[in-house]
Amino acid sequence: MAVIGCGRIGNLHAQAIASSPRATLAALCDCDADRLARAAERYAAARYASVEELFSGERLDAVAIATPDHMHVHAVQAALAAGCHVFCEKPLADNLAEARQLVRAAAERGVQLAVDYNRRFGFGYRTAHRLLDEGTIGQLESCLLRVTDAVPPPAVARNRHVIFTTLLTHHFDLMRFFGGEIRSVYAVAGDGSPDSITRNVIVSLGFVSNALGTIAAGYRQNQSRTSEWMELSGSAGSLAIEDVTRRVTLVRLDADRREILEPDHFAAGNAFYDSLIDHLHAFIDHVAEGRESPVTGRDAVASLALAAAAIESLESGHAIEVPSA
Ligand SMILES: NC(=O)c1ccc[n+]([C@@H]2O[C@H](COP(=O)([O-])OP(=O)(O)OC[C@H]3O[C@@H](n4cnc5c(N)ncnc54)[C@H](O)[C@@H]3O)[C@@H](O)[C@H]2O)c1
């Protein structure tokens, strides 16, 4: 395997591949010579300054892509053309049409195209998903999610509604992860200035199942890390998930008590970025076993379709019906 883009997240990809018993980190690629050299010092892997040089120099089975958001499409196209399985950071593409085209290209090539919705692998969401599946809170009726994060730097904030495509792409995916397909989206924003990026939004979601979802999201100047809380409310109780990995609180209807589930603090697996490493390990296992990756390009398209619907709703002032996938 190779890693394309050796920044903060690419180094985690390299760490995941190097620590998998089923993969070998053969090469690293970055257009920044210093970053490439620093990563290559850590891992005994070949170095390439561009994706073109990487694919002409190496015969690879799979790549992990962690270039900036707007560079994903170029790297994914090159990887698919070389017949590689792809694990790409979110969002898969800047727009829905490009994402759909990549999913078609991967299917034509017969390779896996995975997108890193790593929150699904965090202790809190993973545990809540298992409890929901086991029927612990009965039929899911509503999902409430609150998230705030730092205002993104200008290199990331390339369009006014970046909050939907870069931050909330994770949370649209989480809504689908728990509640299934979504049929309607209504979004409002609290920001008045047309010059600034959208900072505060509330998105109301209607699920095909008739359950309801609400996402309240905001960017905060100088916030040091993402702060996130989700509650799943069902016919027989509720589950609250704190900060992806921290804690799950189960409240049942029939008793005035709550059960707290926390990760084992002495074991690996409780830090946010371990969820990314766990996801990449799962991708490698699925590819090695010829199984479809746990999070697919279709999931990426579905999440981007919800982001596009939210932007359309914001701009039109109407609820938007989402076409079925
Ligand atoms: N899954 C998550 O929770 C999560 C968290 C943070 C960031 N991300 C995503 O990960 C990606 C990378 O983010 P980051 O914070 O590591 O960014 P970064 O800026 O630290 O790293 C990006 C790297 O890509 C390199 N690069 C740029 N263009 C390139 C090209 N054409 N070919 C090769 N290398 C190129 C840059 O030199 C840089 O080293 C982004 O898409 C971001 O949205 C995901």
Side-chain angles (χ1 to χ4, degrees):
M1 291 184 69
V3 172
I4 304 174
C6 302
R8 189 168 55 117
I9 301 296
N11 271 281
L12 290 167
H13 288 182
Q15 188 187 327
I17 295 165
S19 62
S20 165
R22 302 175 97 169
T24 304
L25 182 60
L28 296 163
C29 170
D30 201 297
C31 56
D32 180 307
D34 288 342
R35 285 184 173 208
L36 184 59
R38 277 202 301 276
E41 271 168 29
R42 263 178 240 126
Y43 305 98
R47 306 175 191 192
Y48 295 90
S50 72
V51 290
E52 289 73 20
E53 289 168 57
L54 172 71
F55 290 112
S56 59
E58 298 284 336
R59 283 174 58 84
L60 299 161
D61 293 317
V63 293
I65 297 172
T67 52
D69 292 5
H70 65 288
M71 301 300 297
H72 292 172
V73 172
H74 171 70
V76 175
Q77 280 170 337
L80 295 179
C84 288
H85 301 285
V86 174
F87 180 91
C88 183
E89 267 313 321
K90 47 51 63 175
L92 176 59
D94 272 344
N95 65 64
L96 200 46
E98 283 179 330
R100 287 193 171 121
Q101 188 273 326
L102 295 177
V103 170
R104 273 197 303 274
E108 280 162 20
R109 281 271 168 181
V111 293
Q112 296 292 322
L113 172 57
V115 174
D116 188 21
Y117 289 131
N118 57 305
R119 277 166 167 75
R120 294 188 185 203
F121 289 79
F123 169 83
Y125 292 127
R126 198 180 65 225
T127 303
H129 197 266
R130 175 177 55 75
L131 292 170
L132 182 67
D133 262 4
E134 290 170 1
T136 313
I137 62 164
Q139 184 74 29
L140 185 64
E141 293 181 353
S142 73
C143 311
L144 183 60
L145 196 151
R146 170 90 186 123
V147 58
T148 56
D149 201 359
V151 176
V156 173
R158 291 163 55 86
N159 68 72
R160 184 158 182 234
H161 298 311
V162 67
I163 193 167
F164 295 108
T165 49
T166 191
L167 177 63
L168 294 185
T169 183
H170 280 297
H171 307 97
F172 289 129
D173 180 67
L174 281 177
M175 287 286 175
R176 290 183 61 250
F177 183 50
F178 289 110
E181 294 310 326
I182 289 165
R183 59 176 161 73
S184 71
V185 178
Y186 180 62
V188 288
D191 317 271
S193 165
D195 303 329
S196 63
I197 61 165
T198 303
R199 286 197 185 196
N200 290 295
V201 293
I202 292 186
V203 187
S204 303
L205 305 165
F207 288 90
V208 170
S209 69
N210 282 335
L212 296 171
T214 303
I215 300 174
Y219 280 140
R220 302 279 175 268
Q221 201 71 52
N222 302 325
Q223 183 167 322
S224 55
R225 63 163 180 81
T226 314
S227 171
E228 186 167 320
W229 176 88
M230 186 175 197
E231 185 187 65
L232 305 170
S233 190
S235 53
S238 69
L239 289 160
I241 304 110
E242 283 172 57
D243 282 330
V244 184
T245 60
R246 244 175 245 273
R247 184 179 299 117
V248 177
T249 305
L250 166 63
V251 180
R252 299 180 200 262
L253 298 182
D254 57 353
D256 188 14
R257 67 189 177 93
R258 44 193 60 210
E259 292 167 45
I260 310 275
L261 296 97
E262 289 180 328
D264 177 355
H265 295 293
F266 292 98
N270 59 356
F272 178 77
Y273 288 116
D274 285 346
S275 63
L276 188 158
I277 289 174
D278 289 347
H279 184 193
L280 187 36
H281 282 166
F283 167 79
I284 291 168
D285 289 345
H286 280 231
V287 167
E289 292 157 17
R291 290 190 288 149
E292 185 172 61
S293 56
V295 187
T296 65
R298 290 189 309 282
D299 292 316
V301 166
S303 183
L304 283 169
L306 293 170
I311 293 167
E312 189 183 343
S313 170
L314 203 60
E315 289 180 342
S316 68
H318 299 120
I320 303 299
E321 295 299 315
V322 183
S324 51

